[in-house]
Amino acid sequence: MTTRDKNEYPDEHSLTSTDWFRRIGLRFDPYVHLEASSDPHLSEYTVNLDIFRVALDNKPTIIVAPPGGGKTAMRVAVTRTCWFDIGGTYPFPLPYNLGTAPLTGTPPTTREHLRLLLEAGTCALLTGLAFRPERLFRASSTEIRAVTAILRAGLPGPLDYYLDILRETGTPAGLTPLLERTYALTAPPPPDVLDRFCNTLATSGTDAMRGRMEEVFQTFVEVVTDALGFSHVLLLIDGLDAMYENQEDSQHAAPWAFELFDRSETWAKSKTFIKLFIPDSLESAITEYLHHHAIPTQIARIIWNHDLLVSMLRKRISVASEERFESLDAISTPALTNVEQQIVKNLPPLPRIALQVTRKAILHYAARLNDGWQLDEEDIRYAIAWYHHYATQRSLSLPSR
């Protein structure tokens, strides 16, 4: 093998991705988002795992995967799937990221959990309805007033402020950075429909609902399931191991979930079900607690294999190329075939690692595009060697997936 000097190529970080990805026939970089919640195209290339249906059903569930194993990607995919259908057959996804909880040094109390859940739920509801206003338009005037009252009660800012943002931007995407970025749904409504949506909420003449936090949150659940027609509510709880207070020892994160599971049976009676996404390092502590407290909960594990990783990588290249390419083989030398298989067979079966290494190979290739070369075996060897040299010797500073 001929080894090229590292200084022969431009700095990979200096490359303009829009330029060189277009030069190889892609409309965007399909490997750049290692944090799934920031990926606007995730719903277009989600791999259908058998475990996917477990996250949608009406049973309290713990979903386990190692770091980089697709927990957040699955949570985001579930969120977006629930809004594909407007007929009421899907549950309402309420993403609750404990990593954003206030740094108090102790786990939230029941009331604090409910306050945070109400805020997360109303942020998700307003954003989701802005993308899918048909749900609101189908409701009666009484139901619309109930929706407005619960939004005014739970949102972190005035409802009218967010409606003004929608009017000014003309797109629900204007809300996602402010309220719930995982609700970047596809096929937003045209500006005139969005303007009608804003006027419907603004003119309902309803003040914020008041009452005990438990009663207000229960009303939120009733509004979602009765007025808006969702089948049940999913509490998609993530971020336990991402909290600053728990970085030194992830076991400190387990008690943050105990208070939630203590209420799981009560919530289940009102069509609200916990879906807790955790790294495998927390599984024993949480399952032991549930066993000793006789809390019925199913446990599911996200398990990847090389075939699934190949499918994931190929779906991404297909979407990014608008289906012109089915594989990286299309931009490779004739001697290099089954590129995705060549990559994943030398790696642990984790999606984050497969994305990192694939992008590293593409960056290595892109740095020499002016020479007219194609992706070749050296690019793949370079990327895999990079992974084994760096990723196995130190922890890369990457967000939890």
Side-chain angles (χ1 to χ4, degrees):
M1 165 182 160
T2 302
T3 303
R4 298 186 177 102
D5 188 286
K6 66 179 181 180
N7 296 320
E8 186 177 335
Y9 303 118
D11 180 358
E12 291 166 356
H13 297 289
S14 70
L15 293 168
T16 303
S17 60
T18 301
D19 177 53
W20 55 260
F21 270 105
R22 284 177 179 170
R23 289 173 65 190
I24 62 175
L26 305 182
R27 57 192 175 98
F28 62 89
D29 180 348
Y31 313 111
V32 67
H33 293 287
L34 298 176
E35 167 52 48
S37 62
S38 65
D39 189 345
H41 301 282
L42 183 69
S43 60
E44 299 177 60
Y45 40 58
T46 300
V47 175
N48 292 322
L49 302 173
D50 290 338
I51 193 178
F52 192 79
R53 56 185 172 76
V54 176
L56 290 166
D57 66 19
N58 56 354
K59 296 178 183 177
T61 309
I62 297 175
I63 299 168
V64 184
K71 297 183 297 297
T72 301
M74 181 177 175
R75 175 178 64 79
V76 173
V78 167
T79 296
R80 295 174 182 175
T81 296
C82 289
W83 283 93
F84 286 162
D85 175 79
I86 63 169
T89 58
Y90 281 96
F92 175 80
L94 195 167
Y96 182 32
N97 184 358
L98 283 172
T100 62
L103 299 177
T104 62
T106 58
T109 64
T110 298
R111 189 180 187 285
E112 289 168 340
H113 270 309
L114 289 171
R115 181 182 61 79
L116 292 168
L117 282 166
L118 179 64
E119 181 174 307
T122 50
C123 287
L125 181 60
L126 178 60
T127 309
L129 288 176
F131 275 97
R132 301 290 182 264
E134 310 93 273
R135 277 194 181 270
L136 187 72
F137 298 156
R138 291 202 317 261
S140 67
S141 57
T142 300
E143 291 169 335
I144 290 173
R145 285 195 294 272
V147 171
T148 306
I150 204 67
L151 288 174
R152 292 191 186 280
L155 288 169
L159 172 61
D160 295 322
Y161 166 72
Y162 299 116
L163 297 180
D164 286 343
I165 290 176
L166 286 173
R167 292 190 183 99
E168 291 170 7
T169 61
T171 172
L175 287 183
T176 53
L178 299 174
L179 297 181
E180 180 46 62
R181 61 179 181 166
T182 62
Y183 264 72
L185 307 180
T186 57
D192 61 321
V193 175
L194 191 61
D195 191 58
R196 178 190 167 197
F197 167 77
C198 293
N199 291 338
T200 300
L201 289 176
T203 60
S204 67
T206 308
D207 295 328
M209 180 188 173
R210 301 185 183 279
R212 293 174 55 243
M213 188 54 63
E214 188 163 356
E215 294 170 348
V216 176
F217 183 73
Q218 179 56 36
T219 299
F220 170 82
V221 173
E222 292 169 359
V223 166
V224 165
T225 55
D226 296 339
L228 296 175
F230 287 93
S231 57
H232 52 280
V233 175
L234 302 176
L235 302 183
L236 302 172
I237 305 166
D238 199 2
L240 269 177
D241 54 329
M243 291 181 291
Y244 175 79
E245 295 167 315
N246 302 317
Q247 291 301 300
E248 290 187 7
D249 184 355
S250 62
Q251 295 299 314
H252 293 162
W256 290 63
F258 295 162
E259 187 74 30
L260 292 165
F261 274 99
D262 285 343
R263 299 180 56 83
S264 64
E265 291 185 83
T266 300
W267 273 333
K269 293 175 183 177
S270 61
K271 299 191 288 188
T272 303
F273 302 92
I274 290 176
K275 304 291 178 176
L276 176 64
F277 295 80
I278 61 170
D280 46 10
S281 61
L282 287 176
E283 182 180 2
S284 60
I286 291 178
T287 54
E288 182 179 0
Y289 177 86
L290 298 178
H291 175 74
H292 286 301
H293 290 76
I295 300 174
T297 305
Q298 62 181 345
I299 298 175
R301 294 174 179 82
I302 302 176
I303 299 175
W304 290 83
N305 58 39
H306 288 158
D307 289 341
L308 286 171
L309 291 175
V310 167
S311 176
M312 176 196 72
L313 294 175
R314 287 181 176 171
K315 278 191 174 184
R316 287 172 180 259
I317 193 75
S318 176
V319 170
S321 69
E322 297 181 310
E323 299 185 351
R324 291 193 300 272
F325 306 156
E326 295 183 357
S327 166
L328 287 171
D329 289 8
I331 58 171
S332 302
T333 62
L336 180 60
T337 59
N338 296 321
V339 175
E340 292 80 9
Q341 292 180 17
Q342 298 297 323
I343 292 173
V344 304
K345 74 178 183 181
N346 294 289
L347 302 172
L350 295 172
R352 182 196 294 166
I353 293 174
L355 291 173
Q356 283 179 270
V357 174
T358 302
R359 189 167 195 267
K360 198 69 175 179
I362 293 291
L363 287 168
H364 192 255
Y365 158 54
R368 53 187 175 79
L369 273 180
N370 288 333
D371 295 325
W373 296 340
Q374 294 174 297
L375 187 72
D376 63 24
E377 293 179 359
E378 184 177 334
D379 297 314
I380 306 304
R381 285 194 293 264
Y382 171 86
I384 292 171
W386 167 85
Y387 167 75
H388 287 295
H389 178 68
Y390 291 102
T392 59
Q393 293 189 25
R394 62 182 177 87
S395 297
L396 298 178
S397 298
L398 294 169
S400 176
R401 187 171 176 85

